[in-house]
Amino acid sequence: LGGAAQLVADVPLSGSFDLYGGVGFTAQGSGPVRGVECTPVRAHGFVALEWRPSRSFSLVADTNAASRLVENIDSYPGLHWIVNVTGRLDLGERTRLDLGFTENLMSQLTTTDFAFYLGLSVRP
């Protein structure tokens, strides 16, 4: 059993800029999974800045961090912290294309060190 909670804020800075932020936690039941003991409660937070230079295109830069995930592996880092930069292009009323990259700012053992990503979103 487990759960999560998050508090998020959106602050309009001007007509084309928005600032987002949030803090939260995840919680799960005790007991190892295949010998790995996860932390029962894990904190996380993020800050993001979105710039919309046009009606159909935006750029988003965000950073997020989370506390320790694994308890019984001493060499597993205690903090993950990454940066994402994404370009978003609306292809239609319900379709969006995302292209961006992720960069790990802390230990390369916790998350991807560097990655490009491409996403296509279609809303019903």
Side-chain angles (χ1 to χ4, degrees):
L1 293 176
Q6 186 157 323
L7 177 63
V8 178
D10 171 7
V11 179
L13 300 177
S14 71
S16 60
F17 284 93
D18 284 319
L19 181 67
Y20 306 92
V23 294
F25 71 91
T26 56
Q28 62 186 27
S30 61
V33 176
R34 296 185 180 173
V36 176
E37 294 177 15
C38 292
T39 304
V41 177
R42 186 176 194 209
H44 57 86
F46 78 94
V47 174
L49 179 66
E50 181 177 19
W51 173 45
R52 293 174 305 284
S54 73
R55 181 175 221 174
S56 62
F57 180 71
S58 69
L59 290 171
V60 179
D62 75 84
T63 185
N64 68 74
S67 64
R68 188 170 185 83
L69 174 63
V70 176
E71 288 189 338
N72 66 332
I73 301 174
D74 291 335
S75 62
Y76 194 87
L79 172 72
H80 99 234
W81 183 18
I82 63 173
V83 170
N84 299 300
V85 176
T86 307
R88 292 184 166 162
L89 178 62
D90 291 332
L91 301 175
E93 188 175 307
R94 298 186 324 240
T95 309
R96 182 176 75 198
L97 180 68
D98 288 354
L99 176 65
F101 69 90
T102 295
E103 172 64 31
N104 186 342
L105 297 177
M106 295 296 284
S107 170
Q108 277 59 52
L109 297 174
T110 57
T111 61
T112 300
D113 177 31
F114 184 82
F116 288 103
Y117 55 88
L118 173 68
L120 179 65
S121 302
V122 179
R123 294 183 302 268

